[in-house]
């Protein structure tokens, strides 16, 4: 008998927990009337029509005067304002320029472009004036110096461009300022001294010399000179204590004097 009563109380507690939530500390008249009554969980529930004691009950009467024994969720309406888009506004003023950024790394070289069109012809330039001056003369007669100084005169012309070498005076006259090259070739006379200078105006520049000997030889001398207009270049014999002479004959030309312009002075 005691066991049956104890089982009834356990089943009643389970049923009350499923239907009303947590047990209340205060019991109503209807609760006391149901004590000791066994109710199955699968039986239909008869909810009270007046408020019951429950934690956080929903405020206000519910539909059909029903007061649930558990709290109800509050409904809060939410409006999506993105669907309430208005008309497009006017364009604003342009903002100030930002600060200059850091210089980036150098990029890779791009591919070679296609060949461009041919450009127009330029304006014709001034014609370039060529400057030339050259001579080559020789002597077929031997010469013995009779004076202290004596000019070596030539009797054979190989080249005398524009007549810049005066055959009567034995001198080259500069008409084109610039740098010139000169060369002198002579043949010595047996047992006689050979003593000559290549002269620029009245100044001796280089010597062509051979001592007396029982055998005659060929001697040569060369020089480059920078000349101004009207400068003179010529060959001079110099007589000392011993007799000075150069050898030549009517068959061959043993003595030659040559010169030509290397670079004109255009300044």
């Amino acid at each position: 008998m005691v066991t049956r009563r104890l089982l009834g109380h356990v089943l009643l507690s389970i049923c009350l927990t499923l239907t009303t939530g947590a047990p209340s500390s205060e019991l109503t008249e209807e609760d006391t009337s149901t004590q000791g009554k066994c109710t199955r969980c699968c039986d239909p529930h008869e909810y009270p029509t007046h408020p019951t004691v429950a934690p956080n009950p929903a405020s206000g009467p519910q539909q059909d005067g029903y007061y649930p024994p558990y709290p109800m969720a509050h409904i809060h309406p939410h409006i999506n304002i993105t669907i309430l888009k208005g008309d497009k506004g006017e364009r604003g003023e342009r903002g100030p320029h930002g600060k200059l950024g850091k210089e980036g790394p150098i990029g890779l070289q791009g591919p070679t472009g296609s060949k461009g069109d041919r450009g127009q012809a330029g304006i014709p330039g001034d014609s370039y004036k060529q400057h030339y001056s050259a001579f080559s003369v020789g002597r077929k007669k031997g010469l013995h110096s009779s004076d202290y100084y004596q000019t070596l005169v030539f009797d054979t012309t190989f080249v005398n461009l524009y007549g810049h070498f005066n055959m009567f005076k034995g001198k080259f006259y500069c008409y084109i300022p610039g740098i010139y090259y000169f060369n002198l070739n002579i043949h010595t006379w047996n047992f006689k001294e050979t003593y000559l200078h290549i002269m620029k105006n009245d100044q001796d520049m280089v010597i062509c010399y051979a001592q007396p000997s029982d055998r005659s030889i060929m001697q040569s001398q060369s020089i480059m000179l920078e000349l101004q207009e009207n400068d003179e270049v010529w060959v001079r014999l110099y007589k000392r204590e011993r007799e000075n002479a150069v050898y030549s004959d009517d068959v061959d030309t043993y003595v030659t004097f040559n010169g030509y312009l290397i670079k004109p002075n255009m300044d």
Side-chain angles (χ1 to χ4, degrees):
M1 190 68 178
V2 175
T3 303
R4 185 178 295 179
R5 287 185 179 181
L6 180 60
L7 180 61
H9 283 287
V10 173
L11 292 176
L12 179 61
S13 298
I14 294 172
C15 293
L16 290 177
T17 304
L18 293 175
T19 56
T20 62
S24 176
S25 58
E26 297 180 3
L27 298 177
T28 59
E29 295 179 358
E30 188 173 344
D31 292 335
T32 56
S33 62
T34 59
Q35 277 187 338
K37 182 179 180 180
C38 180
T39 305
R40 293 181 299 177
C41 297
C42 56
D43 291 341
H45 301 289
E46 295 180 1
Y47 297 107
T49 58
H50 61 275
T52 60
V53 179
N56 299 326
S59 61
Q62 304 300 317
Q63 187 177 3
D64 299 330
Y66 165 63
Y67 292 86
Y70 51 86
M72 297 293 292
H74 294 276
I75 299 175
H76 298 281
H78 177 73
I79 300 176
N80 188 1
I81 62 173
T82 58
I83 64 175
L84 303 178
K85 186 177 181 181
D87 297 335
K88 185 177 181 180
E90 297 180 357
R91 185 174 182 178
E93 296 181 358
R94 186 174 183 178
H97 290 284
K99 295 182 179 180
L100 185 64
K102 295 182 179 180
E103 183 178 358
I106 299 176
L108 299 177
Q109 184 176 0
T112 304
S114 58
K115 186 177 181 180
D117 299 332
R118 185 175 181 179
Q120 298 179 355
I123 301 174
D126 298 332
S127 59
Y128 178 73
K129 186 177 180 180
Q130 297 284 350
H131 298 278
Y132 300 100
S133 179
F135 72 91
S136 180
V137 295
R139 183 181 175 91
K140 289 190 175 184
K141 293 181 180 180
L143 178 64
H144 292 266
S145 60
S146 56
D147 297 330
Y148 192 67
Y149 291 114
Q150 185 176 351
T151 303
L152 181 61
V153 180
F154 300 87
D155 53 24
T156 303
T157 302
F158 300 106
V159 174
N160 190 9
L161 193 60
Y162 308 122
H164 291 179
F165 190 88
N166 191 317
M167 295 295 292
F168 298 99
K169 295 183 177 180
K171 293 183 178 181
F172 170 78
Y173 291 90
C174 177
Y175 292 94
I176 304 173
I179 298 176
Y180 288 78
Y181 172 81
F182 297 96
N183 169 258
L184 173 64
N185 299 286
I186 57 97
H187 190 279
T188 64
W189 205 307
N190 294 350
F191 304 106
K192 294 182 180 181
E193 187 179 40
T194 302
Y195 198 140
L196 301 96
H197 288 97
I198 296 179
M199 307 290 294
K200 175 183 175 183
N201 299 326
D202 294 331
Q203 182 181 3
D204 54 336
M205 305 304 296
V206 290
I207 189 174
C208 184
Y209 178 77
Q211 292 181 341
S213 174
D214 58 348
R215 297 180 62 182
S216 62
I217 59 173
M218 292 293 297
Q219 289 286 85
S220 179
Q221 181 64 275
S222 303
I223 188 174
M224 294 176 62
L225 296 174
E226 184 174 3
L227 303 180
Q228 302 299 325
E229 189 173 359
N230 297 324
D231 281 344
E232 302 174 2
V233 179
W234 51 289
V235 179
R236 183 189 71 180
L237 275 76
Y238 178 51
K239 181 181 179 181
R240 299 198 299 176
E241 295 81 6
R242 291 173 291 193
E243 189 176 4
N244 187 14
V246 291
Y247 176 82
S248 190
D249 58 30
D250 297 337
V251 179
D252 297 315
T253 303
Y254 289 88
V255 181
T256 59
F257 185 38
N258 313 285
Y260 56 87
L261 175 65
I262 296 177
K263 181 182 182 302
N265 186 359
M266 305 303 298
D267 296 338

mmCIF file with all atom_site columns, all heavy atoms in Angstrom, residues 49-68:
data_model
loop_
_atom_site.group_PDB
_atom_site.id
_atom_site.type_symbol
_atom_site.label_atom_id
_atom_site.label_alt_id
_atom_site.label_comp_id
_atom_site.label_asym_id
_atom_site.label_entity_id
_atom_site.label_seq_id
_atom_site.pdbx_PDB_ins_code
_atom_site.Cartn_x
_atom_site.Cartn_y
_atom_site.Cartn_z
_atom_site.occupancy
_atom_site.B_iso_or_equiv
_atom_site.pdbx_formal_charge
_atom_site.auth_seq_id
_atom_site.auth_comp_id
_atom_site.auth_asym_id
_atom_site.auth_atom_id
_atom_site.pdbx_PDB_model_num
ATOM 1   N N   . THR A 1 49 ? -7.653  29.025 -17.198 1.00 0.00 ? 49 THR A N   1
ATOM 2   C CA  . THR A 1 49 ? -8.104  30.258 -17.874 1.00 0.00 ? 49 THR A CA  1
ATOM 3   C C   . THR A 1 49 ? -7.724  31.489 -17.097 1.00 0.00 ? 49 THR A C   1
ATOM 4   O O   . THR A 1 49 ? -8.097  32.596 -17.458 1.00 0.00 ? 49 THR A O   1
ATOM 5   C CB  . THR A 1 49 ? -9.639  30.222 -18.048 1.00 0.00 ? 49 THR A CB  1
ATOM 6   O OG1 . THR A 1 49 ? -10.225 30.076 -16.768 1.00 0.00 ? 49 THR A OG1 1
ATOM 7   C CG2 . THR A 1 49 ? -10.012 29.094 -18.981 1.00 0.00 ? 49 THR A CG2 1
ATOM 8   N N   . HIS A 1 50 ? -6.971  31.355 -16.022 1.00 0.00 ? 50 HIS A N   1
ATOM 9   C CA  . HIS A 1 50 ? -6.487  32.517 -15.275 1.00 0.00 ? 50 HIS A CA  1
ATOM 10  C C   . HIS A 1 50 ? -4.993  32.362 -15.088 1.00 0.00 ? 50 HIS A C   1
ATOM 11  O O   . HIS A 1 50 ? -4.444  31.261 -15.192 1.00 0.00 ? 50 HIS A O   1
ATOM 12  C CB  . HIS A 1 50 ? -7.228  32.598 -13.906 1.00 0.00 ? 50 HIS A CB  1
ATOM 13  C CG  . HIS A 1 50 ? -6.989  31.408 -13.045 1.00 0.00 ? 50 HIS A CG  1
ATOM 14  N ND1 . HIS A 1 50 ? -7.746  30.245 -13.160 1.00 0.00 ? 50 HIS A ND1 1
ATOM 15  C CD2 . HIS A 1 50 ? -6.076  31.201 -12.053 1.00 0.00 ? 50 HIS A CD2 1
ATOM 16  C CE1 . HIS A 1 50 ? -7.302  29.367 -12.286 1.00 0.00 ? 50 HIS A CE1 1
ATOM 17  N NE2 . HIS A 1 50 ? -6.265  29.927 -11.603 1.00 0.00 ? 50 HIS A NE2 1
ATOM 18  N N   . PRO A 1 51 ? -4.319  33.432 -14.794 1.00 0.00 ? 51 PRO A N   1
ATOM 19  C CA  . PRO A 1 51 ? -2.842  33.384 -14.726 1.00 0.00 ? 51 PRO A CA  1
ATOM 20  C C   . PRO A 1 51 ? -2.373  32.413 -13.681 1.00 0.00 ? 51 PRO A C   1
ATOM 21  O O   . PRO A 1 51 ? -2.970  32.266 -12.635 1.00 0.00 ? 51 PRO A O   1
ATOM 22  C CB  . PRO A 1 51 ? -2.451  34.815 -14.346 1.00 0.00 ? 51 PRO A CB  1
ATOM 23  C CG  . PRO A 1 51 ? -3.608  35.655 -14.722 1.00 0.00 ? 51 PRO A CG  1
ATOM 24  C CD  . PRO A 1 51 ? -4.825  34.783 -14.559 1.00 0.00 ? 51 PRO A CD  1
ATOM 25  N N   . THR A 1 52 ? -1.325  31.758 -14.040 1.00 0.00 ? 52 THR A N   1
ATOM 26  C CA  . THR A 1 52 ? -0.632  30.884 -13.103 1.00 0.00 ? 52 THR A CA  1
ATOM 27  C C   . THR A 1 52 ? 0.686   31.494 -12.748 1.00 0.00 ? 52 THR A C   1
ATOM 28  O O   . THR A 1 52 ? 1.166   32.397 -13.424 1.00 0.00 ? 52 THR A O   1
ATOM 29  C CB  . THR A 1 52 ? -0.402  29.516 -13.735 1.00 0.00 ? 52 THR A CB  1
ATOM 30  O OG1 . THR A 1 52 ? 0.386   29.668 -14.908 1.00 0.00 ? 52 THR A OG1 1
ATOM 31  C CG2 . THR A 1 52 ? -1.713  28.834 -14.104 1.00 0.00 ? 52 THR A CG2 1
ATOM 32  N N   . VAL A 1 53 ? 1.216   31.023 -11.654 1.00 0.00 ? 53 VAL A N   1
ATOM 33  C CA  . VAL A 1 53 ? 2.497   31.573 -11.211 1.00 0.00 ? 53 VAL A CA  1
ATOM 34  C C   . VAL A 1 53 ? 3.597   30.928 -12.037 1.00 0.00 ? 53 VAL A C   1
ATOM 35  O O   . VAL A 1 53 ? 3.804   29.720 -11.963 1.00 0.00 ? 53 VAL A O   1
ATOM 36  C CB  . VAL A 1 53 ? 2.726   31.315 -9.720  1.00 0.00 ? 53 VAL A CB  1
ATOM 37  C CG1 . VAL A 1 53 ? 4.072   31.867 -9.295  1.00 0.00 ? 53 VAL A CG1 1
ATOM 38  C CG2 . VAL A 1 53 ? 1.585   31.930 -8.923  1.00 0.00 ? 53 VAL A CG2 1
ATOM 39  N N   . ALA A 1 54 ? 4.253   31.723 -12.860 1.00 0.00 ? 54 ALA A N   1
ATOM 40  C CA  . ALA A 1 54 ? 5.348   31.226 -13.730 1.00 0.00 ? 54 ALA A CA  1
ATOM 41  C C   . ALA A 1 54 ? 6.402   32.302 -13.841 1.00 0.00 ? 54 ALA A C   1
ATOM 42  O O   . ALA A 1 54 ? 6.108   33.494 -13.752 1.00 0.00 ? 54 ALA A O   1
ATOM 43  C CB  . ALA A 1 54 ? 4.789   30.862 -15.105 1.00 0.00 ? 54 ALA A CB  1
ATOM 44  N N   . PRO A 1 55 ? 7.618   31.926 -13.981 1.00 0.00 ? 55 PRO A N   1
ATOM 45  C CA  . PRO A 1 55 ? 8.702   32.936 -14.087 1.00 0.00 ? 55 PRO A CA  1
ATOM 46  C C   . PRO A 1 55 ? 8.598   33.707 -15.380 1.00 0.00 ? 55 PRO A C   1
ATOM 47  O O   . PRO A 1 55 ? 8.379   33.133 -16.444 1.00 0.00 ? 55 PRO A O   1
ATOM 48  C CB  . PRO A 1 55 ? 9.974   32.098 -14.038 1.00 0.00 ? 55 PRO A CB  1
ATOM 49  C CG  . PRO A 1 55 ? 9.561   30.733 -14.499 1.00 0.00 ? 55 PRO A CG  1
ATOM 50  C CD  . PRO A 1 55 ? 8.150   30.560 -14.060 1.00 0.00 ? 55 PRO A CD  1
ATOM 51  N N   . ASN A 1 56 ? 8.702   35.064 -15.278 1.00 0.00 ? 56 ASN A N   1
ATOM 52  C CA  . ASN A 1 56 ? 8.701   35.978 -16.435 1.00 0.00 ? 56 ASN A CA  1
ATOM 53  C C   . ASN A 1 56 ? 7.511   35.726 -17.333 1.00 0.00 ? 56 ASN A C   1
ATOM 54  O O   . ASN A 1 56 ? 7.635   35.353 -18.506 1.00 0.00 ? 56 ASN A O   1
ATOM 55  C CB  . ASN A 1 56 ? 9.979   35.822 -17.251 1.00 0.00 ? 56 ASN A CB  1
ATOM 56  C CG  . ASN A 1 56 ? 11.205  36.163 -16.434 1.00 0.00 ? 56 ASN A CG  1
ATOM 57  O OD1 . ASN A 1 56 ? 11.153  37.048 -15.571 1.00 0.00 ? 56 ASN A OD1 1
ATOM 58  N ND2 . ASN A 1 56 ? 12.290  35.449 -16.685 1.00 0.00 ? 56 ASN A ND2 1
ATOM 59  N N   . PRO A 1 57 ? 6.269   35.847 -16.825 1.00 0.00 ? 57 PRO A N   1
ATOM 60  C CA  . PRO A 1 57 ? 5.115   35.617 -17.697 1.00 0.00 ? 57 PRO A CA  1
ATOM 61  C C   . PRO A 1 57 ? 5.006   36.716 -18.719 1.00 0.00 ? 57 PRO A C   1
ATOM 62  O O   . PRO A 1 57 ? 5.469   37.832 -18.507 1.00 0.00 ? 57 PRO A O   1
ATOM 63  C CB  . PRO A 1 57 ? 3.941   35.617 -16.716 1.00 0.00 ? 57 PRO A CB  1
ATOM 64  C CG  . PRO A 1 57 ? 4.402   36.483 -15.606 1.00 0.00 ? 57 PRO A CG  1
ATOM 65  C CD  . PRO A 1 57 ? 5.871   36.278 -15.479 1.00 0.00 ? 57 PRO A CD  1
ATOM 66  N N   . ALA A 1 58 ? 4.383   36.434 -19.845 1.00 0.00 ? 58 ALA A N   1
ATOM 67  C CA  . ALA A 1 58 ? 4.163   37.467 -20.874 1.00 0.00 ? 58 ALA A CA  1
ATOM 68  C C   . ALA A 1 58 ? 3.138   38.445 -20.373 1.00 0.00 ? 58 ALA A C   1
ATOM 69  O O   . ALA A 1 58 ? 2.156   38.089 -19.727 1.00 0.00 ? 58 ALA A O   1
ATOM 70  C CB  . ALA A 1 58 ? 3.694   36.782 -22.167 1.00 0.00 ? 58 ALA A CB  1
ATOM 71  N N   . SER A 1 59 ? 3.318   39.704 -20.651 1.00 0.00 ? 59 SER A N   1
ATOM 72  C CA  . SER A 1 59 ? 2.422   40.760 -20.155 1.00 0.00 ? 59 SER A CA  1
ATOM 73  C C   . SER A 1 59 ? 1.131   40.737 -20.920 1.00 0.00 ? 59 SER A C   1
ATOM 74  O O   . SER A 1 59 ? 1.137   40.571 -22.145 1.00 0.00 ? 59 SER A O   1
ATOM 75  C CB  . SER A 1 59 ? 3.121   42.118 -20.294 1.00 0.00 ? 59 SER A CB  1
ATOM 76  O OG  . SER A 1 59 ? 3.398   42.374 -21.653 1.00 0.00 ? 59 SER A OG  1
ATOM 77  N N   . GLY A 1 60 ? -0.026  40.937 -20.207 1.00 0.00 ? 60 GLY A N   1
ATOM 78  C CA  . GLY A 1 60 ? -1.319  41.067 -20.846 1.00 0.00 ? 60 GLY A CA  1
ATOM 79  C C   . GLY A 1 60 ? -1.960  39.728 -21.128 1.00 0.00 ? 60 GLY A C   1
ATOM 80  O O   . GLY A 1 60 ? -1.301  38.706 -21.179 1.00 0.00 ? 60 GLY A O   1
ATOM 81  N N   . PRO A 1 61 ? -3.267  39.774 -21.328 1.00 0.00 ? 61 PRO A N   1
ATOM 82  C CA  . PRO A 1 61 ? -3.988  38.531 -21.619 1.00 0.00 ? 61 PRO A CA  1
ATOM 83  C C   . PRO A 1 61 ? -3.652  38.051 -23.007 1.00 0.00 ? 61 PRO A C   1
ATOM 84  O O   . PRO A 1 61 ? -3.395  38.852 -23.905 1.00 0.00 ? 61 PRO A O   1
ATOM 85  C CB  . PRO A 1 61 ? -5.450  38.911 -21.472 1.00 0.00 ? 61 PRO A CB  1
ATOM 86  C CG  . PRO A 1 61 ? -5.474  40.384 -21.772 1.00 0.00 ? 61 PRO A CG  1
ATOM 87  C CD  . PRO A 1 61 ? -4.193  40.927 -21.257 1.00 0.00 ? 61 PRO A CD  1
ATOM 88  N N   . GLN A 1 62 ? -3.650  36.742 -23.173 1.00 0.00 ? 62 GLN A N   1
ATOM 89  C CA  . GLN A 1 62 ? -3.356  36.166 -24.478 1.00 0.00 ? 62 GLN A CA  1
ATOM 90  C C   . GLN A 1 62 ? -4.665  35.868 -25.177 1.00 0.00 ? 62 GLN A C   1
ATOM 91  O O   . GLN A 1 62 ? -5.771  36.116 -24.685 1.00 0.00 ? 62 GLN A O   1
ATOM 92  C CB  . GLN A 1 62 ? -2.516  34.900 -24.273 1.00 0.00 ? 62 GLN A CB  1
ATOM 93  C CG  . GLN A 1 62 ? -1.233  35.139 -23.478 1.00 0.00 ? 62 GLN A CG  1
ATOM 94  C CD  . GLN A 1 62 ? -0.324  36.137 -24.162 1.00 0.00 ? 62 GLN A CD  1
ATOM 95  O OE1 . GLN A 1 62 ? -0.153  36.056 -25.371 1.00 0.00 ? 62 GLN A OE1 1
ATOM 96  N NE2 . GLN A 1 62 ? 0.221   37.071 -23.413 1.00 0.00 ? 62 GLN A NE2 1
ATOM 97  N N   . GLN A 1 63 ? -4.533  35.290 -26.384 1.00 0.00 ? 63 GLN A N   1
ATOM 98  C CA  . GLN A 1 63 ? -5.703  34.978 -27.205 1.00 0.00 ? 63 GLN A CA  1
ATOM 99  C C   . GLN A 1 63 ? -6.626  33.989 -26.478 1.00 0.00 ? 63 GLN A C   1
ATOM 100 O O   . GLN A 1 63 ? -6.130  33.021 -25.897 1.00 0.00 ? 63 GLN A O   1
ATOM 101 C CB  . GLN A 1 63 ? -5.226  34.378 -28.533 1.00 0.00 ? 63 GLN A CB  1
ATOM 102 C CG  . GLN A 1 63 ? -6.354  34.171 -29.523 1.00 0.00 ? 63 GLN A CG  1
ATOM 103 C CD  . GLN A 1 63 ? -5.829  33.642 -30.844 1.00 0.00 ? 63 GLN A CD  1
ATOM 104 O OE1 . GLN A 1 63 ? -4.657  33.392 -30.948 1.00 0.00 ? 63 GLN A OE1 1
ATOM 105 N NE2 . GLN A 1 63 ? -6.741  33.464 -31.798 1.00 0.00 ? 63 GLN A NE2 1
ATOM 106 N N   . ASP A 1 64 ? -7.958  34.290 -26.547 1.00 0.00 ? 64 ASP A N   1
ATOM 107 C CA  . ASP A 1 64 ? -9.004  33.464 -25.934 1.00 0.00 ? 64 ASP A CA  1
ATOM 108 C C   . ASP A 1 64 ? -8.871  33.390 -24.417 1.00 0.00 ? 64 ASP A C   1
ATOM 109 O O   . ASP A 1 64 ? -9.238  32.393 -23.783 1.00 0.00 ? 64 ASP A O   1
ATOM 110 C CB  . ASP A 1 64 ? -8.994  32.027 -26.502 1.00 0.00 ? 64 ASP A CB  1
ATOM 111 C CG  . ASP A 1 64 ? -9.263  32.038 -27.989 1.00 0.00 ? 64 ASP A CG  1
ATOM 112 O OD1 . ASP A 1 64 ? -9.980  32.949 -28.451 1.00 0.00 ? 64 ASP A OD1 1
ATOM 113 O OD2 . ASP A 1 64 ? -8.731  31.147 -28.687 1.00 0.00 ? 64 ASP A OD2 1
ATOM 114 N N   . GLY A 1 65 ? -8.320  34.423 -23.817 1.00 0.00 ? 65 GLY A N   1
ATOM 115 C CA  . GLY A 1 65 ? -8.194  34.437 -22.372 1.00 0.00 ? 65 GLY A CA  1
ATOM 116 C C   . GLY A 1 65 ? -7.254  33.404 -21.841 1.00 0.00 ? 65 GLY A C   1
ATOM 117 O O   . GLY A 1 65 ? -7.366  33.009 -20.703 1.00 0.00 ? 65 GLY A O   1
ATOM 118 N N   . TYR A 1 66 ? -6.317  32.946 -22.741 1.00 0.00 ? 66 TYR A N   1
ATOM 119 C CA  . TYR A 1 66 ? -5.393  31.890 -22.332 1.00 0.00 ? 66 TYR A CA  1
ATOM 120 C C   . TYR A 1 66 ? -4.132  32.490 -21.761 1.00 0.00 ? 66 TYR A C   1
ATOM 121 O O   . TYR A 1 66 ? -3.533  33.381 -22.369 1.00 0.00 ? 66 TYR A O   1
ATOM 122 C CB  . TYR A 1 66 ? -5.088  30.999 -23.523 1.00 0.00 ? 66 TYR A CB  1
ATOM 123 C CG  . TYR A 1 66 ? -3.893  30.126 -23.318 1.00 0.00 ? 66 TYR A CG  1
ATOM 124 C CD1 . TYR A 1 66 ? -3.888  29.154 -22.288 1.00 0.00 ? 66 TYR A CD1 1
ATOM 125 C CD2 . TYR A 1 66 ? -2.763  30.274 -24.124 1.00 0.00 ? 66 TYR A CD2 1
ATOM 126 C CE1 . TYR A 1 66 ? -2.790  28.363 -22.105 1.00 0.00 ? 66 TYR A CE1 1
ATOM 127 C CE2 . TYR A 1 66 ? -1.668  29.476 -23.935 1.00 0.00 ? 66 TYR A CE2 1
ATOM 128 C CZ  . TYR A 1 66 ? -1.682  28.521 -22.928 1.00 0.00 ? 66 TYR A CZ  1
ATOM 129 O OH  . TYR A 1 66 ? -0.582  27.739 -22.752 1.00 0.00 ? 66 TYR A OH  1
ATOM 130 N N   . TYR A 1 67 ? -3.791  32.033 -20.564 1.00 0.00 ? 67 TYR A N   1
ATOM 131 C CA  . TYR A 1 67 ? -2.579  32.479 -19.888 1.00 0.00 ? 67 TYR A CA  1
ATOM 132 C C   . TYR A 1 67 ? -1.627  31.300 -19.814 1.00 0.00 ? 67 TYR A C   1
ATOM 133 O O   . TYR A 1 67 ? -1.840  30.420 -18.990 1.00 0.00 ? 67 TYR A O   1
ATOM 134 C CB  . TYR A 1 67 ? -2.896  33.015 -18.476 1.00 0.00 ? 67 TYR A CB  1
ATOM 135 C CG  . TYR A 1 67 ? -3.681  34.290 -18.479 1.00 0.00 ? 67 TYR A CG  1
ATOM 136 C CD1 . TYR A 1 67 ? -5.074  34.271 -18.553 1.00 0.00 ? 67 TYR A CD1 1
ATOM 137 C CD2 . TYR A 1 67 ? -3.025  35.519 -18.395 1.00 0.00 ? 67 TYR A CD2 1
ATOM 138 C CE1 . TYR A 1 67 ? -5.796  35.430 -18.565 1.00 0.00 ? 67 TYR A CE1 1
ATOM 139 C CE2 . TYR A 1 67 ? -3.767  36.687 -18.402 1.00 0.00 ? 67 TYR A CE2 1
ATOM 140 C CZ  . TYR A 1 67 ? -5.129  36.655 -18.493 1.00 0.00 ? 67 TYR A CZ  1
ATOM 141 O OH  . TYR A 1 67 ? -5.845  37.806 -18.500 1.00 0.00 ? 67 TYR A OH  1
ATOM 142 N N   . PRO A 1 68 ? -0.633  31.234 -20.679 1.00 0.00 ? 68 PRO A N   1
ATOM 143 C CA  . PRO A 1 68 ? 0.287   30.067 -20.633 1.00 0.00 ? 68 PRO A CA  1
ATOM 144 C C   . PRO A 1 68 ? 1.137   30.122 -19.397 1.00 0.00 ? 68 PRO A C   1
ATOM 145 O O   . PRO A 1 68 ? 1.446   31.183 -18.882 1.00 0.00 ? 68 PRO A O   1
ATOM 146 C CB  . PRO A 1 68 ? 1.134   30.238 -21.898 1.00 0.00 ? 68 PRO A CB  1
ATOM 147 C CG  . PRO A 1 68 ? 1.132   31.695 -22.174 1.00 0.00 ? 68 PRO A CG  1
ATOM 148 C CD  . PRO A 1 68 ? -0.212  32.189 -21.727 1.00 0.00 ? 68 PRO A CD  1
#
